[in-house]
């Protein structure tokens, strides 16, 4: 019997949602969900296709990257997840995809500028693109460094992971997170749509202006501020 | 028992069609249908996902934004709908989406030029993009102001809401309307297709000319003019 | 009892295929099939949605545009079909759509250059874009003129309708034809794919060269020439 | 009874996957699988639609292009497959498609630059575009020459077919291969996604830089190198 049955089930469902939402093909991408009390997270096994994935295949790993339960090798990006869980104590889930448009922005090595309210409904800042890592970091412990690259990119821009739940890793692809695994999945889908809209917008009008601050604030606040009136109480 | 059962059912079906037509994801967008005699409209509840929506969830609201029936909070855009219903007495339904291409044009802050007969079959003018609102209006009563921003944008261009049943709100996203909710939904789908075609056209030929007036008139008239011969009698 | 049951059935199936192939939405587009012996063709009724269409709804029309059988009004583009059937005696079916990419090229008012073998497998020439009509022709008998505009555009480029089974009407949308209705439908789908590939190709490399003549000839001949060896005998 | 039942079944499944993955429409494209012991391969029959294809339709051909079993004519590209199988003894399957974005790059006559880790996860080089063939070769034995065009393009760039399992043929479309038919199909899908991402990336930032060598090496090695730790043991 598993000691982590519900955790693994939750991680499984998050991974399967990525496929249903059209955010992954084959084995591209992975989702994890954390159990804060036991300081472990369940993550997709490495290189297993979404078509054949089962809840029991999920691998439970601690923050030092030791496999606690599971017969399969965890995702090759596991160390990145571990760094983020250990550094950011308010997140409950992490998602990594190679979704088409978000990855294109990561490859373009550009922040996604905030061009409209669809973006502002979710975050009040440009979606940052972390710079490509130094050669030494790539050689040393690449996946750990990816975690710190993400953390430092937010710090450098003076952003909190609570306010900005998505990032592009330059030359690579997006990572998203959230209070739950479900929210992290949602953020991946939203990011892909924002990335697509922004690419098309720039194609229509290369000079499309950044959304003005008053409108950014309004849309973000009505959904997430103290007096938020979007959604149900 | 509901006093507005058929109104809510109609609003529900319009909202669900938005999802079927690929015009909304998650909770983006909302449709409403008005009952002119009773001076109320039924609208989607705020922040409820299309996947879990029921007809009984629809919220009935009067033109002063009072909830007349319903347990849920109405859409955060309700006040915009109320303004349009109270100012334009010939419309029966309103739809707001963040559909990808129409939103990209709104973000580009450009009118969609009339480039072909697909567009002219539906309206004889460029699809206007209302300018981004002044800061004071954004702070004061944003959703009410959005309604007036739409109304004024049409006025400024000397357009009637009976002739032009769709608009982009600059930096935000499209609104459409029509004699019925079903027509408003149809207009949203048509707008998205026109927006997509126009973006691709400009990508192929940045100098693609506006359609000539004689052809605009011909296509619009054969479908909507006095001697219209498109469709069934 | 209908005297044209199988003709109407065939026209119906062609129309329905347009929807299945993603070439039409709502009421955009129409397909017809001709009976050469009886000098009539069956065509989609005007403005009827594909979702509610029945085989019995098809309208049978002669080459002078008289309705021979059917209770509904025929497509508003019927006269264009009639002109083409009366002028080109080797065609068996005609299709008109507003498919996204082909329509974008028509709006761009550009021929689709032959950029690759996908194109050359089907025709050995650029896909012509007929110029926008003169004002007088638009006013006089627009749909008849559209037929002659198509015929003249081919003539001006010294092309035969047997070799080139597709055209763009500038500012409007594509028409395709073929020996059968099924072939005309196939040509519409192929045109849309060629149009999409060409738009993306130009986006990647604005200077992408026209395919060289030797390769055009080779691909067209191996499929359609005297010594064709593509397909089954 | 067939002597090649399982070979034909495998080739059939590979061909059908092309359709399921959205890489082919109508009769565009073909997959083959080789039996190294018997020096034959099973390939799709020419011009037969995926919708009506059966496993028993597969044609078994030897490396001199003689039909060994099957009633139908083999794919018109059979000679290209035969050249590759006879020259490259480690491949088990070959796929040719006209998938949209990969074909657009072939038409653009550009290598697909390695812009991100999605690409580097699969190969450590730009995806080469073989030049358009000389006129004489096109006239002589076009499909055989296509095979040598592919082989020479790799040689000219000092690439091994074991490291680079995909190529664009300039003005034509992609070919992919692999140790098995299934891998060749997988490579076709991956190529299409990489091609799409690269086209969008260049649209966002024309100056998007090539991925740095250290990161290319890292991603390729962690999946395919001696100390690979991606996937299961």
């Amino acid at each position: 019997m598993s000691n982590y049955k519900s955790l693994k089930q939750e991680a499984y469902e998050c991974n399967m949602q990525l496929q249903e939402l059209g955010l992954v093909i084959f084995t591209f991408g992975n989702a994890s969900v954390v159990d804060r009390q036991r300081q472990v997270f369940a993550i997709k096994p490495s290189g297993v296709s979404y078509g054949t994935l089962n809840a029991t295949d999920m691998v439970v790993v601690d923050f030092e990257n030791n496999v606690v339960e599971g017969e399969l090798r965890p995702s090759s990006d596991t160390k990145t997840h571990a760094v983020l869980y250990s550094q950011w104590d308010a997140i409950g889930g992490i998602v990594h995809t190679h979704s088409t448009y978000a990855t294109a922005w990561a490859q373009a090595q550009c922040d996604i500028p905030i061009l409209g309210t669809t973006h502002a409904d979710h975050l009040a800042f440009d979606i940052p693109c972390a710079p490509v890592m130094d050669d030494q970091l790539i050689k040393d412990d690449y996946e750990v460094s990816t975690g710190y690259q993400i953390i430092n990119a937010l710090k450098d821009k003076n952003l909190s992971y609570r306010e900005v739940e998505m990032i592009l890793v330059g030359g690579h692809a997006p990572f998203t997170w959230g209070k739950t695994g479900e929210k992290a999945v949602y953020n991946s889908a939203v990011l892909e749509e924002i990335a697509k809209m922004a690419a098309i917008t720039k194609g229509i009008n290369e000079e499309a202006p950044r959304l003005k601050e008053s409108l950014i604030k309004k849309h973000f606040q009505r959904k997430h501020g103290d007096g938020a009136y979007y959604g149900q109480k």
Side-chain angles (χ1 to χ4, degrees), chain A:
Chain A
M1 270 293 291
S2 170
N3 289 312
Y4 302 96
K5 202 176 166 188
S6 72
L7 186 70
K8 287 161 82 173
Q9 180 64 29
E10 198 182 340
Y12 169 72
E13 287 172 11
C14 288
N15 275 289
M16 293 311 286
Q17 271 196 303
L18 297 182
Q19 191 183 44
E20 280 160 43
L21 290 163
L23 300 172
V24 295
I25 56 168
F26 299 117
T27 64
F28 300 14
N30 42 73
S32 72
V33 178
V34 76
D35 179 333
R36 284 286 167 191
Q37 281 206 297
R38 298 200 270 184
Q39 295 273 302
V40 297
F41 58 96
I43 192 165
K44 184 177 169 297
S46 182
V48 176
S49 177
Y50 288 94
T52 61
L53 203 61
N54 289 306
T56 51
D57 295 337
M58 296 298 115
V59 188
V60 180
V61 185
D62 69 19
F63 293 2
E64 283 74 43
N65 300 301
N66 303 302
V67 171
V68 174
E69 184 180 295
E71 318 230 323
L72 297 170
R73 214 144 52 161
S75 164
S76 58
D77 297 308
T78 296
K79 288 179 180 176
T80 308
H81 291 240
V83 166
L84 298 182
Y85 283 127
S86 66
Q87 297 293 312
W88 292 345
D89 53 16
I91 64 172
I94 297 171
V95 168
H96 170 52
T97 78
H98 287 231
S99 68
T100 310
Y101 281 87
T103 302
W105 280 93
Q107 293 189 156
Q109 300 186 19
C110 298
D111 296 355
I112 304 180
I114 183 165
L115 298 170
T117 61
T118 318
H119 186 137
D121 280 338
H122 295 92
L123 74 169
F125 307 94
D126 294 351
I127 297 166
C129 182
V132 176
M133 240 174 267
D134 286 344
D135 288 357
Q136 198 53 46
L137 292 172
I138 293 171
K139 274 189 205 159
D140 285 353
D141 201 344
Y142 175 61
E143 290 82 8
V144 167
S145 297
T146 299
Y148 285 107
Q149 197 77 1
I150 291 170
I151 290 167
N152 292 333
L154 288 188
K155 273 191 197 150
D156 288 352
K157 304 206 174 190
N158 222 12
L159 299 170
S160 155
Y161 74 89
R162 296 165 195 260
E163 291 173 317
V164 175
E165 297 184 330
M166 50 188 76
I167 199 165
L168 310 172
V169 177
H172 187 173
F175 282 81
T176 66
W177 51 88
K179 282 191 185 162
T180 62
E182 197 184 346
K183 182 70 192 308
V185 169
Y186 173 83
N187 284 335
S188 280
V190 165
L191 167 55
E192 179 64 8
E193 184 63 19
I194 291 172
K196 185 173 183 181
M197 281 178 177
I200 298 168
T201 302
K202 287 296 186 181
I204 293 169
N205 177 8
E206 215 175 334
E207 307 301 323
R210 204 169 173 279
L211 196 64
K212 64 200 268 192
E213 279 302 325
S214 57
L215 200 45
I216 293 172
K217 212 173 268 180
K218 179 66 194 177
H219 265 264
F220 190 74
Q221 293 300 328
R222 78 173 188 166
K223 212 164 167 177
H224 307 281
D226 287 341
Y229 51 90
Y230 181 94
Q232 302 303 321
K233 279 164 238 177

